[in-house]
């Protein structure tokens, strides 16, 4: 009887402990993420004083480059960035990414699909690159999965505005 109770308790507590450790990002994460935005010339030299607008499905943000620690609300939608100076434009799209490993682990846990749904709807599951360097006259796409810590995200050319 004692071993049956111990077995039942361990079977019940193990999923609860796993759930508590991984946690729902909505409960354990942060709604906002800091993002740095710079505009650079063809030689990768920062050019200050560009008027920038960044937006995702959650909000719009405005500032003059360079923008440091812009608090952006996490969202499943991409962050669209456009900076102007006179007739010149620098554009970027920061791709919203959610952790595949985190999603797979949560899907296996009891209630995991519900946690994934809540994290998706709230946007807490997603992240953007934290350092974006826009190039004058280009539209670049930035992906958080390709960013090296402490360095700007490498942009891929999308098109020319």
């Amino acid at each position: 009887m004692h071993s049956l109770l111990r077995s039942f308790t361990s079977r019940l507590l193990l999923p609860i402990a796993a759930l508590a450790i991984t946690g729902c990002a909505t409960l354990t994460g942060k709604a906002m993420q800091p993002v740095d935005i710079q505009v650079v010339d063809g030689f990768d030299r920062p050019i200050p004083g560009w008027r920038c607008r960044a937006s995702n499905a959650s909000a719009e943000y405005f500032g003059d480059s360079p923008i440091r620690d812009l608090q952006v609300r996490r969202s499943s939608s991409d962050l669209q960035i456009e900076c102007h100076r006179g007739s010149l434009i620098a554009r970027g799209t920061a791709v919203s990414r959610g952790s595949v490993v985190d999603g797979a682990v949560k899907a296996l846990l009891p209630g995991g699909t519900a946690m994934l749904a809540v994290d998706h709807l709230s946007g807490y599951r997603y992240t953007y690159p934290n350092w974006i360097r826009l190039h004058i006259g280009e539209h670049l796409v930035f992906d958080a999965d390709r960013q090296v810590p402490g360095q700007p995200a490498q942009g891929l050319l999308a098109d020319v505005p």
Side-chain angles (χ1 to χ4, degrees):
M1 175 71 174
H2 189 318
S3 65
L4 181 63
L5 182 60
R6 184 179 299 172
S7 175
F8 176 75
T9 305
S10 67
R11 286 183 189 174
L12 179 64
L13 291 180
L14 185 60
I16 292 172
L19 184 61
I21 290 169
T22 59
C24 177
T26 304
L27 299 176
T28 61
K30 295 180 180 176
M32 307 300 277
Q33 173 194 340
V35 175
D36 292 349
I37 300 172
Q38 288 181 303
V39 177
V40 298
D41 64 13
F43 299 103
D44 277 345
R45 294 180 301 209
I47 309 293
W50 288 65
R51 185 67 182 152
C52 298
R53 175 187 171 270
S55 65
N56 61 18
S58 297
E60 286 187 313
Y61 311 91
F62 297 92
D64 294 330
S65 71
I67 302 172
R68 303 253 190 263
D69 292 325
L70 176 66
Q71 294 298 311
V72 175
R73 181 158 182 83
R74 295 176 187 273
S75 171
S76 61
S77 69
D78 295 342
L79 183 67
Q80 301 295 329
I81 307 162
E82 189 167 291
C83 297
H84 296 268
R85 189 170 181 185
S87 62
L88 299 174
I89 299 173
R91 292 176 42 208
T93 299
V95 176
S96 175
R97 288 282 182 218
S99 170
V100 174
V101 173
D102 181 48
V105 168
K106 283 182 184 172
L108 296 173
L109 295 173
T113 53
M115 285 188 297
L116 283 174
V118 170
D119 289 349
H120 170 74
L121 293 173
S122 68
Y124 280 55
R125 178 173 183 255
Y126 299 95
T127 189
Y128 300 110
N130 58 11
W131 185 359
I132 297 168
R133 296 182 87 182
L134 304 176
H135 291 255
I136 298 169
E138 295 179 349
H139 178 193
L140 300 175
V141 176
F142 303 91
D143 192 329
D145 287 347
R146 298 174 39 95
Q147 185 168 2
V148 176
Q151 296 181 11
Q154 294 298 310
L156 300 174
L157 189 60
D159 62 8
V160 179

